Amino acid sequence: MGLVDDARMVAAEFEYSADDVNKGVKEFIRQMDEGLQETGKSMSQIPTYVTAVPNGTEKGVYLAVDLGGTNFRVCSIKLNGDTTFSLIQSKVAIPHELMVAKTSKELFSFLAKQIESFLKIHHSDHFEEYHQRRQNSAEITDEHFLQLGFTFSFPVHQISINKGHLIRWTKGFDITDAIGKDVCSLLQSEIDALHLPVKVAALVNDTVGTLMARSYTSPGKTGTLLGAIFGTGTNGAYVEKLEKVTKLKKMKEGGDFDASTGNMVVNTEWGSFDNEMSVLPNTPYDTALDKDSNNPGIQMFEKRVSGMFLGEVLRRAILSMIKDGRTELFKDESSGTNDVHSTCTIADDSSLYKQWGIDTSFLSIAHEDQSAGHHITRQALNRDLGVDAASSEDAQAIKILVEAIGKRSARLSAVAIGAVIISTGNLSLTAGDGREDEEDVVDIGVDGSLVEYYPGFEEYIREALREIESIGEKGEKRIRIGIAKDGSGVGAALIALVAGGREGGS
């Protein structure tokens, strides 16, 4: 058997059939419902206390700040009321000593000073007018404050739209005295100490922000159902019927929210779907990746879908073929058997031998390669992985593995999207009288490098959606998938708007 056939045998381990997709959807819906009823389940289904999504008619100027890692971003967003917006932003690196400061005050006072600097430059009139009123002891009302959405990308226990207690730090931050404290209050205290006309109106999850950003900018009057991230990680937030979020009644610290809409945006945290591995596909490469990860047995869905892990799955599949004495991957008996008339060699320090050594961008390159003799893939093998003089057959084998891994990721993504659509009943709600028009759609907002840049990712998703029994070909045509940019910026501003109760035109 030849090398290409060997590669096809390994690729077959990643096949995820129509039957698998349908079983996955049923279990996904079951775990969604379970998470809505009780805390501590595989799928967290976190209530966000956001009870409405925008429709594109909202107006006003809002602030957003994003503490997502080593940078802090401050944005000012002007919503024009016609699905368009303009954005001004500044970004500053967080000094390392503040990431590990003795007190949270040191970090949060630094953040407040960045907001002050931004206001002085970009909202000087508002800033000066507010301080003039303070000096003259004039009346100051809510209208004199800018509403701010705070994207805080660390684990928090959110108990209302603008209140959340820090569970733990990640990404190199370690400030012990902040644990258990309300991060919105910490920021507001330092803003107040500087007498800034700013109110922290909302604590924002970036996936919820993606949903809001898409709902504002999407065409037509149809609100967006789901915001989904398919990038380095994966997650989804969607609009659920409030009556289905039964665990809200059992939550001791549940905050106030506007129940009049009958809806609640829920942050699924679907990266942990089926940690029990009851329906998720598994290969020896997935098992080894999980065992050597820093969180074995956790985020099992994400480890099969997101960009952070696809390169590592590929690396382990390639290594298994190299180590298998029966396959000829990167092995030439002589230069005469290699179409570049040289023998293939792998550098001793090749990234193939290092955990996380293959970036997902390599998969995109190989997947898209239509060049003669897979020349582009061979260049990438040499440049990125230290594989010199790979033959066209070697490159074809790699492409077969890449396509299988990428396709499985997209088909699993369709399980999550399809489950949300079916569970919420939105496809039947838009069924109408069979006419195709602007309102006869289910709108999905997506963001992330996989869905935006990985070749054919959306088409693979759509192919799987057509295979889902409750969706089919007719239903798939009514699903509109659009890129939603900047959930932590414009999305956060829109959540601040909703939190302030300032609906369209105000």
Side-chain angles (χ1 to χ4, degrees):
M1 191 163 60
L3 174 56
V4 169
D5 289 329
D6 290 334
R8 286 189 178 125
M9 280 188 68
V10 175
E13 298 180 61
F14 293 99
E15 281 179 13
Y16 192 62
S17 69
D19 188 44
D20 294 329
V21 168
N22 280 283
K23 282 178 184 168
V25 168
K26 287 188 178 86
E27 179 60 17
F28 202 102
I29 292 170
R30 191 193 71 76
Q31 292 192 25
M32 282 175 69
D33 289 342
E34 190 178 65
L36 291 172
Q37 293 162 32
E38 294 180 59
T39 55
K41 296 298 179 182
S42 247
M43 200 120 58
S44 296
Q45 294 285 75
I46 301 164
T48 65
Y49 302 95
V50 177
T51 59
V53 295
N55 60 21
T57 64
E58 295 80 1
K59 292 180 182 177
V61 176
Y62 296 88
L63 297 180
V65 296
D66 179 9
L67 183 65
T70 54
N71 290 315
F72 181 64
R73 185 167 69 125
V74 186
C75 309
S76 168
I77 295 95
K78 184 184 180 209
L79 304 168
N80 299 321
D82 58 0
T83 78
T84 68
F85 62 90
S86 55
L87 182 146
I88 304 165
Q89 67 174 354
S90 70
K91 192 183 281 189
V92 63
I94 306 286
H96 183 263
E97 61 269 22
L98 292 182
M99 294 168 67
V100 291
K102 286 190 171 65
T103 66
S104 55
K105 180 179 176 63
E106 294 170 67
L107 173 65
F108 284 89
S109 68
F110 172 81
L111 303 183
K113 282 169 188 166
Q114 306 312 309
I115 296 169
E116 180 182 46
S117 299
F118 184 87
L119 290 178
K120 284 179 176 176
I121 296 168
H122 300 293
H123 291 281
S124 55
D125 290 351
H126 191 110
F127 183 83
E128 286 164 15
E129 183 196 344
Y130 174 77
H131 279 277
Q132 200 70 48
R133 295 185 77 84
R134 281 191 77 247
Q135 285 172 4
N136 297 336
S137 301
E139 184 186 8
I140 294 174
T141 65
D142 281 350
E143 289 182 2
H144 296 105
F145 287 84
L146 289 164
Q147 304 294 309
L148 178 143
F150 183 15
T151 300
F152 184 77
S153 300
F154 300 89
V156 291
H157 174 47
Q158 189 162 357
I159 54 175
S160 72
I161 200 162
N162 64 348
K163 195 170 188 180
H165 298 141
L166 177 64
I167 297 169
R168 65 182 175 276
W169 289 106
T170 57
K171 307 174 191 176
F173 282 76
D174 186 14
I175 307 169
T176 308
D177 88 331
I179 305 294
K181 290 183 180 173
D182 173 19
V183 294
C184 291
S185 290
L186 291 174
L187 182 59
Q188 188 68 63
S189 295
E190 299 306 323
I191 286 170
D192 292 346
L194 295 173
H195 305 297
L196 305 181
V198 174
K199 289 291 180 197
V200 181
L203 181 60
V204 178
N205 169 281
D206 59 354
T207 312
V208 181
T210 297
L211 168 65
M212 303 296 275
R214 172 64 187 175
S215 199
Y216 181 78
T217 58
S218 66
K221 295 175 186 172
T222 305
T224 301
L225 169 65
L226 168 68
I229 308 282
F230 299 108
T232 306
T234 183
N235 191 21
Y238 72 102
V239 183
E240 182 57 275
K241 295 178 188 71
L242 188 55
E243 64 196 29
K244 284 181 71 177
V245 194
T246 54
K247 69 179 177 185
L248 268 175
K249 293 168 187 168
K250 306 173 195 170
M251 291 169 71
K252 292 174 184 173
E253 291 186 284
D256 294 331
F257 56 90
D258 175 13
S260 66
T261 65
N263 292 324
M264 170 75 78
V265 174
V266 172
N267 168 21
T268 65
E269 293 293 340
W270 71 33
S272 62
F273 163 61
D274 198 29
N275 282 340
E276 309 81 9
M277 294 297 298
S278 61
V279 296
L280 280 178
N282 207 17
T283 68
Y285 326 110
D286 296 304
T287 302
L289 179 153
D290 178 56
K291 181 172 171 284
D292 293 341
S293 70
N294 60 7
N295 57 349
I298 307 293
Q299 299 293 100
M300 300 304 265
F301 183 72
E302 184 167 78
K303 285 171 180 168
R304 285 152 180 77
V305 170
S306 77
M308 180 176 176
F309 298 100
L310 298 188
E312 182 63 7
V313 174
L314 173 65
R315 187 185 75 86
R316 289 172 184 270
I318 291 172
L319 279 184
S320 77
M321 289 188 69
I322 293 172
K323 290 172 181 174
D324 185 341
R326 295 165 298 176
T327 73
E328 297 300 317
L329 184 63
F330 304 143
K331 297 168 191 165
D332 301 314
E333 290 178 15
S334 71
S335 59
T337 62
N338 186 317
D339 59 340
V340 292
H341 305 297
S342 181
T343 52
C344 180
T345 58
I346 304 173
D348 290 341
D349 63 348
S350 166
S351 298
L352 280 171
Y353 302 130
K354 298 168 187 168
Q355 190 181 18
W356 314 114
I358 299 182
D359 189 81
T360 305
S361 60
F362 174 83
L363 280 80
S364 294
I365 291 165
H367 199 125
E368 199 167 32
D369 185 9
Q370 301 296 326
S371 62
H374 305 293
H375 175 67
I376 292 169
T377 300
R378 289 150 84 176
Q379 280 185 323
L381 282 165
N382 188 357
R383 180 186 65 242
D384 300 338
L385 304 183
V387 179
D388 185 44
S391 68
S392 59
E393 198 176 25
D394 288 329
Q396 187 182 353
I398 297 300
K399 185 176 170 70
I400 288 166
L401 297 182
V402 162
E403 287 173 349
I405 292 165
K407 186 174 184 178
R408 186 185 71 164
S409 166
R411 289 174 70 80
L412 282 164
S413 303
V415 166
I417 293 171
V420 169
I421 291 169
I422 294 165
S423 173
T424 54
N426 272 54
L427 208 52
S428 53
L429 289 174
T430 63
D433 55 11
R435 289 181 297 114
E436 290 287 328
D437 63 29
E438 191 60 60
E439 307 314 311
D440 195 27
V441 296
V442 176
D443 194 78
I444 310 292
V446 293
D447 193 12
S449 53
L450 276 179
V451 73
E452 196 167 357
Y453 301 118
Y454 194 91
F457 199 82
E458 184 181 331
E459 188 41 52
Y460 282 143
I461 288 175
R462 289 191 172 278
E463 180 182 74
L465 288 172
R466 290 191 285 272
E467 294 169 8
I468 297 172
E469 289 157 6
S470 302
I471 295 177
E473 290 200 14
K474 282 187 178 177
E476 179 269 320
K477 284 177 183 166
R478 295 217 314 276
I479 298 168
R480 182 172 63 198
I481 299 175
I483 297 292
K485 296 304 291 178
D486 200 14
S488 63
V490 67
L494 286 157
I495 296 172
L497 176 149
V498 170
R502 302 182 178 193
E503 288 303 328
S506 65

